[in-house]
Each structure stands twice: as C-alpha cells, then as structure tokens.
Amino acid sequence: ALRISLVDLRRDVYQIIQLSVLLVLFTAIVVGLVSWWLMPIGFAAALALGGVVAPPDAVAATAVARRIGLPRRLVAVLEGESLFNDATALVTVSTATLALQQSVTPLSVGVDFLVATVGGIAIGVVAFLVMAFIQKHVKDTPTSVALSFISPWVAFLPAEEIHSSGVIAVVVMAVLLGYKAPYIQTAQARVSERMNWDSVQFILENMVFLLIGLQAATIITD
C-alpha cells in the first residue's frame, strides 16, 4: 500500500471495487453453494469455506504480471484489488462464523459490512493524520523507519477494537502515507524505509509459501 499510486487507485476505483468486493462475494457464495451441496455441512460453514478461498493470491499474480510484461494499468488494478480483497473475505468469514452460533439477517449482514468498511476507512484516515504529524517532526532516519513498522498497529488495533476492518484501516493509512511521504519524510528516510519494507515483504511472502510447502507431506499422508 505504501508503494501503490493514489492516482492509479482513483482512476481505476470502479474496476478495483468490482474485483475486490463484488467478485470476492460472488466467488464465496458460489463456492459455498457447491460445498453445501457436496458435503454434509450447513450453509454457514460452507460460506465460511467460500470466504477463505475467494480472495486470489496477489503475490503470485503481480509477480507473474510484471515478468510477462502486462500493461502497467492492468498491474495497478491487480495490486489495488489485492489490497482490499482480504477485507471482503474476512468480513464474509466472520459473518458466516457468527451465523454458526446465532441467526443472522440480510440487514444485519449489510450493517456489519458497512461498519467494517466505513469504520476501517475512518480509522485509517485518523491513523494517517497521527502518523503523518509524528513523522513530520522526526528527522532521524532509523527512528523514522522504526515508526513505519509501528504504524500498521496504530491503524489495525483500534479498527479491530470497534469491530471494523483492520485490513482496510491499514491500507487506507499506508496509501495516504505513501502519497504524502515527500512532504513528511526526508529523502534518506524514504529510501531506507523502502529498502527495509522490501526486505520484510520478501521474507514474509517466502515464509508463507514455505509453510504451505511444509504442510504438503501431512496433507498427502492424510
């Protein structure tokens, strides 16, 4: 989210919403209906399964897209979609999980989704204002980078506390911080932050695929 262009997001906002919200919901419902039909489980449990598998893997998609030379705008849409699709999926899973314990109505689901999105956006903007104010007064590069590692929690924890989407809050905050970085950070701090985040992202992404690979033997055995 720090790297993505706010201009690109504004330009392709409708395509991104269609992919990250409507398509994820459609996929979750279809997978849920098929699972409900094939397996001896309730629809709520089947929908939770659909929510888990609905969001596509952004890491693989963008990596392949760049290597095969897809147009920059298409890559931007894929990256923008990847920032928000997990939020849609998490709300779907939490709603389905709640439905396993108590009855829910379409109205309550709609209200929960609205609270998750609007609340997440609001918390993200507030977190951005707080972190931008702090970063503007910090001139030491290591301290500035350390603050950037803390900043996701400044958005995520309050959002989750009010039952909004922590993912959306972090994304909104990071997009705004990335857009305003030339005005609130020194050039040295921006370069150092970019290099550090690239390293962290590389480690985390590869760790995820390593953990998936390590489960292969157990899955095959079972």
Side-chain angles (χ1 to χ4, degrees):
L2 281 170
R3 289 198 306 267
I4 200 163
S5 167
L6 185 59
V7 175
D8 289 343
L9 279 179
R10 285 173 176 169
R11 182 193 61 204
D12 301 315
V13 63
Y14 295 112
Q15 292 93 325
I16 290 170
I17 290 174
Q18 288 173 356
L19 290 171
S20 63
V21 179
L22 300 181
L23 181 59
V24 171
L25 287 175
F26 176 78
T27 306
I29 291 169
V30 170
V31 171
L33 288 171
V34 172
S35 303
W36 185 38
W37 177 54
L38 290 176
M39 296 186 288
I41 57 176
F43 180 69
L47 184 61
L49 175 62
V52 169
V53 303
D57 173 43
V59 178
T62 53
V64 172
R66 286 192 180 120
R67 285 187 181 180
I68 63 176
L70 286 181
R72 180 177 176 274
R73 184 167 183 176
L74 185 56
V75 175
V77 170
L78 285 173
E79 290 182 335
E81 183 268 344
S82 71
L83 292 175
F84 295 98
N85 61 17
D86 284 335
T88 305
L90 287 170
V91 172
T92 304
V93 172
S94 62
T95 302
T97 305
L98 184 64
L100 288 170
Q101 304 165 1
Q102 62 188 62
S103 60
V104 295
T105 64
L107 179 61
S108 66
V109 171
V111 170
D112 287 344
F113 194 81
L114 194 63
V115 169
T117 52
V118 175
I121 292 171
I123 294 292
V125 171
V126 173
F128 155 70
L129 293 173
V130 171
M131 294 309 301
F133 176 79
I134 296 172
Q135 287 278 24
K136 199 170 184 178
H137 292 82
V138 173
K139 304 304 179 186
D140 181 59
T141 298
T143 304
S144 182
V145 174
L147 283 170
S148 77
F149 287 131
I150 296 170
S151 60
W153 304 107
V154 175
F156 185 86
L157 294 178
E160 290 294 316
E161 192 66 29
I162 65 169
H163 304 292
S164 293
S165 172
V167 175
I168 290 180
V170 173
V171 168
V172 168
M173 179 202 65
V175 169
L176 293 173
L177 283 175
Y179 180 69
K180 288 292 186 179
Y183 306 100
I184 61 176
Q185 287 180 289
T186 64
Q188 187 176 358
R190 294 200 306 275
V191 172
S192 184
E193 181 181 284
R194 178 71 176 267
M195 293 173 64
N196 277 278
W197 272 112
D198 282 346
S199 299
V200 171
Q201 182 178 336
F202 176 79
I203 292 169
L204 291 177
E205 287 173 355
N206 284 277
M207 191 181 296
V208 167
F209 286 110
L210 175 63
L211 291 172
I212 292 172
L214 289 173
Q215 292 182 67
T218 305
I219 293 169
I220 292 170
T221 302
D222 291 345

